[in-house]
Amino acid sequence: RGEGNPGRIGVAEAAVGHALVAYASVQGVLFVATALIVWIPLVRRLVTPRALKRERVHRRALEQFMTRAYHLTDDDTGVLIFASLAERQAIVLADEGVAGKVGAAEWKAVVDALVAGMRSKDPGGGFVRAIERAADILAAHCPRQPSDRNQLPDTVIELDF
C-alpha cells in the first residue's frame, strides 16, 4: 500500500479530511440557523403539529380546571371555557354533573363560536358568543334551582404561558 507514490496518499487523505471538516461545519451552521429560526414563536407555531397543539391546550385547560377547583362544586356542574390565542384553539371542560347530560356536538358549537372569534381577530366577541351558547346549553340540561348559588367566579382570566 502506498509504495509507489506515498505523497499522493497523503494528498487524498488530506482532501478527505478537509471535506469532512467542511461537511461538519455546514451541518453545525445549519443546526444553529434552524434552531434560531424555530425559536421565533410564529415559526414554532407553524411547524408544531396540530395534534401536539391540541394536547397542550387540553393539558393547560385541565390544569386550570383542577387548580381553580371547578371540579368541587356541590352538584359537579363546573364548566371551563378555555382558549389558547396563540394556537387558535379552544376547549370546553365540564364536570361530571354536566358532562353526562351534554353531548360533544353541543360543546363543539361553543368551541366553534370562540374559535371563529379568534380567527376573525375578535376573541372578545368569540368569548361572548361562546358563553351565551354555553349558558343556553346549561339552562336546557341543568336548569337553575331556587337553592342554587354561584360557586365559581364568572370572569375571564388571562394567563401567560
Side-chain angles (χ1 to χ4, degrees), residues 3 5 15-16 25 27 30 32-33 36 38 45 56 61 63 82 84 88 90 96 100 103 116 134 140 142 147 153 161:
E3 293 175 13
N5 193 349
V16 169
S25 298
Q27 290 297 314
L30 287 174
V32 169
L36 289 174
V38 173
R45 274 195 309 276
R56 286 180 182 165
E63 287 171 0
F82 185 90
S84 174
R88 292 189 181 135
E96 295 172 4
C142 303
S147 62
F161 286 103

Side-chain angles (χ1 to χ4, degrees), residues 113-118 120-132:
L114 181 50
V115 170
M118 290 189 294
S120 66
K121 299 192 182 347
D122 181 23
F127 265 107
V128 168
R129 288 184 292 282
I131 291 167
E132 289 171 344

Side-chain angles (χ1 to χ4, degrees), residues 1 10 13 15 27 35 42 57 71 78 81 108 116 121 125-126 128 141 156:
R1 176 183 151 168
E13 288 175 351
Q27 290 297 314
L42 174 62
V57 170
H71 63 293
I81 301 172
K108 185 177 180 324
K121 299 192 182 347
V128 168
H141 294 283
V156 174

Side-chain angles (χ1 to χ4, degrees), residues 22-23 25 32 36 40 48 64 67 71 79 82 91-92 104-105 151:
Y23 176 76
S25 298
V32 169
L36 289 174
I40 300 169
T48 302
Q64 292 304 309
T67 301
H71 63 293
V79 175
F82 185 90
I91 186 171
V92 175
Q151 299 173 48

Side-chain angles (χ1 to χ4, degrees), residues 1-142:
R1 176 183 151 168
E3 293 175 13
N5 193 349
R8 195 155 189 217
I9 292 174
V11 170
E13 288 175 351
V16 169
H18 290 305
L20 288 174
V21 168
Y23 176 76
S25 298
V26 168
Q27 290 297 314
V29 168
L30 287 174
F31 174 80
V32 169
T34 302
L36 289 174
I37 289 170
V38 173
W39 198 278
I40 300 169
L42 174 62
V43 174
R44 190 174 7 179
R45 274 195 309 276
L46 292 173
V47 299
T48 302
R50 182 177 288 281
L52 181 57
K53 290 178 190 178
R54 223 179 355 260
E55 188 274 325
R56 286 180 182 165
V57 170
H58 184 266
R59 185 181 66 238
R60 286 189 217 135
L62 192 54
E63 287 171 0
Q64 292 304 309
F65 191 85
M66 301 306 278
T67 301
R68 298 183 186 283
Y70 281 54
H71 63 293
L72 297 178
T73 59
D74 291 341
D75 296 322
D76 298 326
T77 55
V79 175
L80 173 69
I81 301 172
F82 185 90
S84 174
L85 297 178
E87 283 88 1
R88 292 189 181 135
Q89 292 193 12
I91 186 171
V92 175
L93 295 180
D95 206 354
E96 295 172 4
V98 177
K101 297 176 182 179
V102 179
E106 290 178 280
W107 292 131
K108 185 177 180 324
V110 174
V111 168
D112 289 347
L114 181 50
V115 170
M118 290 189 294
R119 286 191 176 138
S120 66
K121 299 192 182 347
D122 181 23
F127 265 107
V128 168
R129 288 184 292 282
I131 291 167
E132 289 171 344
R133 183 68 191 122
D136 292 343
I137 292 168
L138 292 171
H141 294 283
C142 303

